[in-house]
Amino acid sequence: MSDQHSQLTYGSYLKVDQLLSLQEPQSNPVAADELLFIIIHQSYELWFRLVITELDRVITLIEREDLIPAFHLLERVSLVFKSLIQQIDILETMTPVAFNQFRAKLNPASGFQSWQFRELELLAGGTPQDYSRFASLEPEWFHKLKERGNKPNLRTTFVKLLQKRTLLTQSFSHEDFQKALLSIYNKPIQDELQTLCEFLINFDEQILLWRFRHVQMVERMIGMKHGTGGSLGVPYLETTLRKKFFPELWEARTQMGVLS
Ligand code: HEM
């Protein structure tokens, strides 16, 4: 009997009971669409966890110059973002009026405080946001993000690889970087560095597309109202739409011609 009880089951392995006890609506009586809102956000956080883990692995692989497995993981991460973009469609089945049934209860919580999203940005090579006003709310995360900011990220690791391959010197100018990228692309056959560049720009593009899709959905939900996190809402989010982790890869396109 006790043996049977200790056997692994689907539910005990995946902790389904615990998982289903984690959705706690703030509205009372519970607004009809709050469960959807919570589930979407929680599933995003789970996917963010995977993306952070995989990006860490990608960095180690690139450091070891083991690029083929890094490509697979970069593809995985981009596909995760593709599916996160699609999930916004599900959220949009909630009307603004249905959202307003519980929106006020969310104050001052906001996606702005998604520490995992911030970690992901740092891991990709983004510049740290000023989230100090939230530091006292979750000091552990604040500390974790500070630590993360001091570790190698995807961008610095990519630059190091180009230095190892003698395409860049230790101190290089913006122009040197452009020249290095053009030399990578100016090849009759796509080599592994060119493939890496394409995976990196793909990843960058998916995050930009997510940002764009998010802001569009936000405008559809709340128009020009301010965010629950205290920002201007849509006008603030629009300022994030030009955030690129690899701006040089985008810029290099302007100079690309035919093979010489
Ligand atoms: C009804 C749905 C949603 C609305 C109305 C909404 C609204 C907003 C607003 C207004 C902001 C700006 C910060 C603020 O003042 O609050 C923001 C930021 C953010 N939201 Fe959402 N959001 C929604 C759904 C989501 C979902 C499903 C996610 C997934 C995790 C998410 C993730 C984020 C992130 C990561 C930020 C920070 C963006 C940045 O600073 O670059 N949001 N959201």
Side-chain angles (χ1 to χ4, degrees):
M1 187 75 176
S2 65
D3 237 21
Q4 251 181 9
H5 274 240
S6 62
Q7 264 182 12
L8 197 66
T9 64
Y10 177 88
S12 66
Y13 177 55
L14 298 170
K15 309 264 186 277
V16 175
D17 289 342
Q18 282 105 309
L19 199 59
L20 299 184
S21 71
L22 297 177
Q23 293 73 44
E24 291 178 13
Q26 293 293 308
S27 52
N28 187 10
V30 177
D33 283 358
E34 194 174 353
L35 184 63
L36 165 74
F37 187 82
I38 295 173
I39 288 179
I40 292 260
H41 280 84
Q42 286 185 337
S43 47
Y44 262 88
E45 291 296 332
L46 285 175
W47 285 116
F48 288 162
R49 179 177 182 175
L50 184 80
V51 169
I52 290 168
T53 306
E54 304 305 36
L55 285 183
D56 258 333
R57 290 172 69 196
V58 168
I59 288 171
T60 308
L61 288 164
I62 298 178
E63 279 171 346
R64 286 195 215 132
E65 301 194 47
D66 197 0
L67 297 188
I68 306 282
F71 297 159
H72 286 291
L73 293 180
L74 280 168
E75 184 173 21
R76 179 176 296 169
V77 163
S78 293
L79 288 173
V80 167
F81 261 90
K82 263 197 179 147
S83 88
L84 292 182
I85 293 165
Q86 280 185 348
Q87 286 192 33
I88 292 183
D89 293 343
I90 309 173
L91 195 53
E92 284 181 338
T93 61
M94 173 173 77
T95 66
V97 172
F99 182 40
N100 286 337
Q101 294 313 113
F102 61 93
R103 182 171 187 250
K105 297 274 178 198
L106 307 178
N107 264 315
S110 154
F112 192 85
Q113 302 156 3
S114 166
W115 299 117
Q116 287 205 106
F117 185 75
R118 297 298 174 216
E119 184 167 5
L120 200 153
E121 286 184 310
L122 291 176
L123 199 45
T127 38
Q129 277 262 358
D130 183 15
Y131 26 67
S132 49
R133 68 195 161 108
F134 298 118
S136 60
L137 299 179
E138 285 170 308
E140 253 175 55
W141 263 108
F142 188 66
H143 180 68
K144 226 178 148 186
L145 286 183
K146 267 201 157 164
E147 277 188 350
R148 173 60 79 184
N150 294 327
K151 286 188 184 158
N153 58 51
L154 198 54
R155 187 183 159 76
T156 54
T157 311
F158 173 58
V159 167
K160 266 207 174 122
L161 179 69
L162 299 190
Q163 289 170 331
K164 278 189 210 161
R165 304 275 173 106
T166 67
L167 287 163
L168 278 181
T169 51
Q170 280 309 311
S171 62
F172 57 90
S173 64
H174 178 72
E175 207 190 352
D176 297 335
F177 202 170
Q178 286 297 295
K179 277 189 190 151
L181 294 175
L182 289 173
S183 73
I184 289 171
Y185 275 90
N186 201 17
K187 299 235 172 80
I189 296 172
Q190 189 173 344
D191 67 4
E192 56 171 16
L193 278 185
Q194 200 182 120
T195 308
L196 177 62
C197 289
E198 288 297 288
F199 275 112
L200 292 177
I201 202 166
N202 199 28
F203 166 68
D204 216 0
E205 189 175 30
Q206 290 311 320
I207 298 201
L208 282 168
L209 290 173
W210 182 80
R211 290 187 199 277
F212 183 76
R213 193 66 190 84
H214 172 260
V215 65
Q216 211 53 63
M217 176 272 294
V218 172
E219 187 174 356
R220 178 170 165 170
M221 287 296 171
I222 64 169
M224 288 297 149
K225 288 177 187 150
H226 289 189
T228 49
S231 82
L232 289 177
V234 169
Y236 159 68
L237 291 168
E238 280 173 347
T239 66
T240 69
L241 294 181
R242 300 216 60 81
K243 272 191 176 181
K244 291 179 176 128
F245 301 120
F246 299 94
E248 297 84 358
L249 275 174
W250 295 87
E251 195 186 327
R253 263 69 190 165
T254 313
Q255 303 300 324
M256 284 181 201
V258 290
L259 286 177
S260 54

